[in-house]
Amino acid sequence: MDFALSEQHELLKKTVRDFARAEVAPFARKWDEEERFPKEIVPKLAALGLLGIRIPEEHGGAGMDTTAYAICVQEIARVDGSLALTVASHNGLGTGHILAFGSEAQKKRYLPKAAAGEWLAAWALTEPGSGSDAAGLRTTAVRDGDHWVINGTKMFITQGSVGGFCVVLARTNSAASKQKGVTAFVVDHGTPGFTASKHLEKLGCRSSDTVELTFDNVRVPDSARVGEVDHGFTDTLKILDRGRISIAAMALGLGYGALDAAVTYAKDRKQFGKPIATFQAIQWMLADSKTELDAAELLTYRAAWLADQGRPYSKEASMAKLYASEAASRACNRAIQVHGGYGYTREFPVERHLRDAKICEIGEGTSEVQRMIIAKHLLLG
């Protein structure tokens, strides 16, 4: 659906789609089976501007808008959810936090390297004991003169072991309410005490780097603080709003990729002497997927447009993320059904799309959390 895309956005969509088909699709299955982060693709992503989508040109980025961000993630996800997750999290979370709330010195230090692919960005909020209750984090940062000492553990961190830096949320004021005593810090890879303590084995997005991080008396200067003291969680909520647009776009890409595969297979596969695409049962599954994905696309690009206009979009981002993620899972499941027994094998990409799509219902706020957010906007205005 190209209902609201400018000529520049149309060109971007074609460029990224061609790149994904040529440079990603042929290797996605292998990367998934090896559960290996494909470092070799990073320079190619950077050369296309996909690691600095929203970073201003003055800092070496492409200086694109939120709509472009969604397009890039969606087109990569059509062929590989893992790499789409890398692009989404690198741009939206790690670099996004510095772009939105970092000092000028931090922007000059981190953003050019992030855009060039020299440093991938990680973002550490979730902990083993705090998932949906994100403000319940227990990692601490204690001030020691002009430094801070960070201790704690983070879980499910994308780019946690391959990133060049990580933005970490830590509690700095135990006396304040949960949402008012948190501060963000940027920690360089290799800082003493900062380690990737465990690589996680996952259902899907298996070539995306996902780890547990440990902070053992990690000492950073006050210049590593991102934003104001005790204001980090409020900033985080704004980061998550834009991030939810990218997860909705990722879900769209996975859903459309599975639908494309199902249409192709239905036309080619013959049973009872004719293509299965001629059977009403198959047609209805394809029709349902197309209708739901197009509706999800409308929601997603409405949220992106609102963000680009500088208008409130928190509710719209949650609606897009909720509907797109669940519609994508349904579309992927139907695609496997269309493929029959072959869909259950790794010979066809639809099983990988289904595995990859599930994270879209969990990451950056579960479907249940999105419903809470939407209801809160409705009831409280």
Side-chain angles (χ1 to χ4, degrees), residues 52-286:
I53 297 172
R54 297 191 59 254
I55 295 174
E57 293 181 7
E58 65 191 83
H59 293 305
M64 293 187 275
D65 57 15
T66 307
T67 299
Y69 175 33
I71 289 170
C72 294
V73 173
Q74 180 177 339
E75 291 306 316
I76 294 173
R78 277 182 177 264
V79 300
D80 186 13
S82 293
L83 196 62
L85 182 58
T86 296
V87 171
S89 61
H90 170 83
N91 284 280
L93 300 179
T95 60
H97 204 127
I98 291 177
L99 179 63
F101 304 108
S103 65
E104 281 305 309
Q106 289 168 346
K107 291 176 183 178
K108 290 179 180 179
R109 172 172 170 76
Y110 293 102
L111 297 185
K113 289 183 180 295
E118 294 180 44
W119 286 351
L120 291 176
W123 190 74
L125 171 65
T126 304
E127 299 185 359
S130 64
S132 293
D133 181 19
L137 61 87
R138 301 178 68 177
T139 294
T140 61
V142 177
R143 190 145 200 172
D144 181 18
D146 58 355
H147 283 71
W148 295 84
V149 181
I150 305 173
N151 282 282
T153 302
K154 297 293 184 177
M155 182 64 81
F156 307 123
I157 308 305
T158 308
Q159 280 93 251
S161 71
V162 299
F165 63 93
C166 181
V167 175
V168 184
L169 280 302
R171 186 158 304 285
T172 47
N173 187 347
S174 60
S177 64
K178 288 200 302 184
Q179 295 191 1
K180 293 185 179 179
V182 174
T183 305
F185 301 87
V186 57
V187 182
D188 291 1
H189 184 80
T191 300
F194 172 34
T195 58
S197 50
K198 181 181 178 181
H199 282 76
L200 304 177
E201 297 178 344
K202 310 187 298 294
L203 170 72
C205 291
R206 298 196 301 189
S207 64
S208 168
D209 182 67
T210 310
V211 302
E212 179 182 85
L213 296 178
T214 299
F215 298 85
D216 183 9
N217 289 320
V218 174
R219 189 176 181 85
V220 296
D222 187 58
S223 60
R225 175 171 46 84
V226 185
E228 298 178 14
V229 174
D230 295 344
H231 205 268
F233 194 77
T234 301
D235 295 343
T236 290
L237 295 179
K238 297 176 183 178
I239 295 298
L240 287 173
D241 281 341
R242 196 181 302 270
R244 285 169 183 149
I245 296 174
S246 72
I247 297 302
M250 175 178 162
L252 281 175
L254 288 164
Y256 277 128
L259 176 59
D260 290 345
V263 169
T264 299
Y265 186 84
K267 290 179 178 179
D268 293 340
R269 175 68 166 170
K270 292 184 178 180
Q271 293 285 272
F272 306 102
K274 54 184 176 181
I276 63 173
T278 62
F279 300 135
Q280 189 178 68
I282 301 297
Q283 293 175 358
W284 284 13
M285 283 192 281
L286 299 176

Side-chain angles (χ1 to χ4, degrees), residues 29-50:
R29 175 182 170 181
K30 182 173 183 289
W31 294 339
D32 175 77
E33 291 177 346
E34 294 177 348
E35 299 189 48
R36 176 183 66 84
F37 179 75
K39 293 182 179 180
E40 63 271 21
I41 198 67
V42 172
K44 296 179 180 180
L45 292 172
L48 200 61
L50 296 179

Side-chain angles (χ1 to χ4, degrees), residues 280-299:
Q280 189 178 68
I282 301 297
Q283 293 175 358
W284 284 13
M285 283 192 281
L286 299 176
D288 285 348
S289 292
K290 174 63 174 172
T291 300
E292 291 181 12
L293 290 172
D294 277 13
E297 193 168 44
L298 284 166
L299 288 171

